[in-house]
Amino acid sequence: MSARHDLKVAAWDANMQLQQDGLVIQTFGNVSAFDPAEGLFAIKPSGVPYAHLKPTDMVVVDLDGRVVEGSRRPSSDTKTHAVLYKGIPNIRGVAHTHSTHAVAWAQAQRSIPLLGTTHADQLPASIPVTPLLSDSAIQGDYEEETGKLILKTLDALPQPHPQMILVGGHGPFTWGSTPMQAVLNSGVLEEIARMALLTLQINPNIAPLKDSLVQKHFQRKHGSGAYYGQK
Amino acid sequence: MSARHDLKVAAWDANMQLQQDGLVIQTFGNVSAFDPAEGLFAIKPSGVPYAHLKPTDMVVVDLDGRVVEGSRRPSSDTKTHAVLYKGIPNIRGVAHTHSTHAVAWAQAQRSIPLLGTTHADQLPASIPVTPLLSDSAIQGDYEEETGKLILKTLDALPQPHPQMILVGGHGPFTWGSTPMQAVLNSGVLEEIARMALLTLQINPNIAPLKDSLVQKHFQRKHGSGAYYGQK
Amino acid sequence: MSARHDLKVAAWDANMQLQQDGLVIQTFGNVSAFDPAEGLFAIKPSGVPYAHLKPTDMVVVDLDGRVVEGSRRPSSDTKTHAVLYKGIPNIRGVAHTHSTHAVAWAQAQRSIPLLGTTHADQLPASIPVTPLLSDSAIQGDYEEETGKLILKTLDALPQPHPQMILVGGHGPFTWGSTPMQAVLNSGVLEEIARMALLTLQINPNIAPLKDSLVQKHFQRKHGSGAYYGQK
Amino acid sequence: MSARHDLKVAAWDANMQLQQDGLVIQTFGNVSAFDPAEGLFAIKPSGVPYAHLKPTDMVVVDLDGRVVEGSRRPSSDTKTHAVLYKGIPNIRGVAHTHSTHAVAWAQAQRSIPLLGTTHADQLPASIPVTPLLSDSAIQGDYEEETGKLILKTLDALPQPHPQMILVGGHGPFTWGSTPMQAVLNSGVLEEIARMALLTLQINPNIAPLKDSLVQKHFQRKHGSGAYYGQK
């Protein structure tokens, strides 16, 4: 009971941050908070403006997307979150935004090339974009199929796997060790997406950043000898 | 009397939201609130800065654009609003902005192609742009002719009709079931316009989004089996 | 004495608005307020951050740019303001900003083409850009020569004259019937400059707006039968 | 003891300004404050969000980057700051941001051409970009090597030397006579970077600003007969 309350507060807090960081307008986007012990997650209700959200509005659902607690209808993207919690190890938060530049890359159906250290600090590879869903997947269980497509795209990538992806024609999903980390990843993705577009406008022929520099930045933040951040 | 006061408050509230959402600067733009029972609408006075607006400044006019109540001159675009209320069924709000990216598409005299699900969530088609008004229409009753041109452009489109349009060389008009919905549509239109331009900068050859994905997103929000939002 | 105090308050108020409207950063830009009865104007002190400005910091100078009142050094652009007050009839305010998009057009040494009604509402012609100053003018009384170049550029234009101009390689100057009107013109210019660039990115081949539409918008706001704004 | 407290307050204050000016998101970027009498500088702790920073969180380090005071791990870029304090005469502040447009030029590996007076007010030359570090430098003492590369790039430039540079593939470093001046230089650099990109989008063939105009603007602000700012 108290754990569920905490889960709803964590989800609410992360959703509010999404709006404060300028990553969503109106009712766009959603964040969820996962409790692996219970196998439940709390998620934003569908189509409710951020200004009106209260922690008690969060909807608690199980990993099949069934509502366990809450009087509101959960986000229409709930099943995508469920698939990600089932398929990606050790994550406790998922965020989905319609942030402008990340959506532009998703709509352009282009992965974001690795052009600088801001990007390399997050991931030593391009930000992947999924192909468009097949017509049968779209006409089937669409949101579940979206999650499966994300997992399939991740599976084909080398390690380390990104905590962010663009769904082709749609927009970004991000995740992390906490709901707030998922939101932070959404913010970094938007900034990387914006920087990459501007970089290519300045120099359309720029090559991806050389690997020695990529590895240095990724490893100093995420490697075994990392020295970025506090111990 | 009280209904008219409510109408003025609704119009004022929606006008203030227009500014808070960053869709207008200075005295640009206007929103109106329509009461079909009385056949009257309340609209922003012409050329008054948003910071100074009070609900009592709103001007109540009839569907011929004649002032029924209020000491100020109504928006110069009043007759365009009147034509839209007469010609589009079941709407109670109209908004006109000079939001930057929507105006840019209007000035470019290009409809906004459907490139992603943010757009498909609103409309399963391009955002239309009207042709330029003829010289005789411009020299006639210009604002009424603008409204008629919008209706004529809508009539030529398949159903479902959009709640937003670009007037060529000028800027966007939007409408909806409430004045606030008209304002929200203006905000979504600006975001779609911005995303579309960025998408084409990333990939000038991107094709419009495939129809199965367009229909899925439009129907899950607006179709008979819609499951986006609260019941 | 009191008139001078009012003049300093008017200049201060307009300078603060410049910053609030996002048209300047740090110590960039300056606005002055002119009193034709006294032949004096109050102007921002040079190089002082907006956050620290007080009305009493404003410097009162005569039309030769000599300090009449105030303990601070006036804006380095003071003589440009003086030349504009002497050369343009009936203006009481001048503003100079480094607003991003207006500066970009000035740096590109391109006049801003008239592409839509937002522009036509202000001026029925392109926003002019001056040529670069000659080397001898630069090495002479630079700021006075800048003012003279603006006047010379205006003189070559048909009536009605704009209340805004781009100084080639430098940035915008605007003016108006009050200091605040000069600031509002700076804001409109920045928005027109931004819309024009975006319009050309969407459609590089767009022609200038047809004259019948230009004249309609300019005349309904500024002509003898104007009906925009309050009487 | 009190001098060290003042140093930490100066560093904290400048770091907070970095965020208020919109030059960083999340934990990106860092500013330090140098005390040449002690040979020590105070710097932001690594990876701590700006909203949580207190003056006492600042870490005091010597010019070899060894922590002298403070319980937190200093910025991962600390050794770069140390090299700049040792190599550039008379500076007391260094700032490093990931501001969007400056990073885009750094990622594009292009120096920023001098296209207008906003730029000339700072520097009578292009904003330089360093080449990429060699693989051996990256695999060696990376942050120290970054500082050395900045110094080497500066050494090859004519006087006057800039107070700002782009590290190729990474982003901007700026410095100045105070920590706050370093932050102001970061803000000006971001604005110059944005204006230059927009200018080239409007006119891809624009030539650098002619030297007479460049020298006039630089000298009126920084020359022996400067008259910009207060005495």
Side-chain angles (χ1 to χ4, degrees), chain A residues 112-128 157-164 192 208-223:
Chain A
I112 305 177
L114 199 175
L115 301 175
T117 64
T118 312
H119 183 141
D121 284 338
Q122 307 301 319
L123 181 69
S126 300
I127 311 288
L157 298 173
Q159 291 287 344
H161 278 177
Q163 293 191 317
M164 51 189 66
I192 290 171
L209 196 64
K210 68 177 179 176
D211 197 55
S212 57
L213 197 45
V214 169
Q215 289 303 327
K216 175 65 193 177
H217 268 262
F218 186 75
Q219 296 299 333
R220 81 171 187 170
K221 193 159 178 181
H222 304 283

Side-chain angles (χ1 to χ4, degrees), chain A residues 115-118 121-122 183-184 187-188 191 194-196 198-199 201-203 206 209-210 212-213 216-217 220 226-231, chain D residues 25-28 45-48 72-73 76-77 98 100-101 103-105 107-110 133-135 138-139 142-143 169-170 197 201:
Chain A
L115 301 175
T117 64
T118 312
D121 284 338
Q122 307 301 319
V183 171
L184 292 175
V188 169
E191 188 66 15
R194 190 174 169 218
M195 286 172 170
L198 293 168
T199 301
Q201 289 179 336
I202 296 168
N203 186 354
I206 191 69
L209 196 64
K210 68 177 179 176
S212 57
L213 197 45
K216 175 65 193 177
H217 268 262
R220 81 171 187 170
Y227 52 93
Y228 181 96
Q230 302 300 314
K231 272 164 278 194
Chain D
I25 63 167
Q26 299 184 12
T27 65
F28 293 11
S46 183
V48 177
R72 291 176 171 261
R73 192 146 65 175
S76 54
D77 297 313
H98 284 233
T100 313
H101 292 81
V103 166
W105 283 92
Q107 292 190 162
Q109 298 174 35
R110 288 269 168 92
L133 275 173
S134 69
D135 289 357
I138 291 167
Q139 282 141 20
Y142 172 65
E143 291 80 10
H170 187 161
L197 172 54
Q201 289 179 336

Side-chain angles (χ1 to χ4, degrees), chain B residues 46 98 100 133 135 142-143, chain C residues 118 191 210 212 217 220 227 229:
Chain B
S46 182
H98 284 234
T100 313
L133 275 173
D135 290 356
Y142 172 66
E143 291 80 11
Chain C
T118 311
E191 189 66 16
K210 68 177 180 177
S212 57
H217 268 263
R220 82 172 186 170
Y227 52 92

